[in-house]
Amino acid sequence: MQNRLTIKDIARLSGVGKSTVSRVLNNESGVSQRTRERVEAVMNQHDFSPSRSARAMRGQSDKVVAIIMSRLDSLSENLAVQTMLPAFYEQGYDPIMMESQFSAEKVTEHLGMLRRRNIDGVVLFGFTGISDAMLTPWRDTLVMLARDAKGIASVCYDDEGAITLLMQALFDKGHRHISYLGVPHSDVTTGKRRHNAYLTFCKQHKLHPVAALPGLAMKQGYDAVASVTHSETTALVCATDTLALGASKYLQEQRNDTLQLASVGNTPLMKFLHPEIVTVDPGYGEAGRQAAHQLIEQINGRAQPQQLVIPAALT
Ligand SMILES: O=P(O)(O)OC[C@H]1O[C@H](O[C@H]2O[C@H](CO)[C@@H](O)[C@H](O)[C@H]2O)[C@H](O)[C@@H](O)[C@@H]1O
């Protein structure tokens, strides 16, 4: 049944114009929710997706992949995207960028639209809340970054390893009062796994843990430093570079230049502004390269889904 109908047919059956159908297909604004649902229902009913040849005739690429970031302004995700793009271009794929804002509903909407547009494949920056059911239909043509899921290709970071490397480096330098600034456990990777690795290290080395888990935002790092630093604290481990940037601003304002900061990220911004901060590189660039490679191989039937973990490295 697929592709027998044209956009004109869908427009006629939905009682709208061709441009409205096109807006629905492209997820553009200017269409009421009711109309959008009616057009989508007709498309679903007829298993409609615009044909690749139609796209090619309109001068659009016949090889298209989507990259669904969680936040377009994320330093870490941008580092991964920066290595992904050349890999796709080299193989003739046109990438389109989308954003989820950590909303599972948004991901569902995006995936639905991408399915209707007959897209070749998807790189999805995963997060807590993405269910297996959402991903199963994409088993062959989706690679998830930063999270894994059963049967789905993924490229993850070594969250525990990254924190352990930082803690060991600080411990070896003689620090015995190391506090921690992180992310709530509702975020399983950056939150729970990194914090648990901190707690485990403290337990194994008989250190007293002092931690706050404010969130991912720079301002949250800035606001939380006071609650985890005391007169005896000599070092502060931050779960992300962004938190460390917030913390460093606070420490600068307090004229505190003795506390040793450490963070997971090794982003160019951090290295430029604060070369003195001890960082661990989780391998964002490598993850982007591997994700693009894996997706291209799967699209072309040369690889099965596999789950990769990029090792972290002290810089
Ligand atoms: O401040 P950022 O540069 O954005 O880095 C913070 C962390 O971002 C990433 O984790 C977050 O997004 C992931 C999807 O990309 C999601 O799975 C995770 O739950 C979020 O915490 C990145 O994976 C981390 O390494 C960064 O530290």
Side-chain angles (χ1 to χ4, degrees), residues 82-94:
Q82 275 167 32
T83 56
M84 227 179 264
L85 294 180
F88 285 130
Y89 291 139
E90 197 185 306
Q91 296 297 317
Y93 288 92
D94 278 343

Side-chain angles (χ1 to χ4, degrees), residues 70-71 74-77 102 125-128 145-147 157 159 183 187-190 194 216 239-240 242 264 267 282 284:
S70 74
R71 298 145 295 149
S74 159
L75 294 176
S76 61
E77 291 186 19
F102 292 126
F125 284 81
F127 52 89
T128 314
L145 254 169
R147 287 299 296 266
Y157 304 112
D159 294 289
V183 174
D187 176 331
V188 174
T189 49
T190 312
R194 291 185 190 178
L216 283 168
T240 76
T242 302
V264 180
T267 53
Y284 297 126

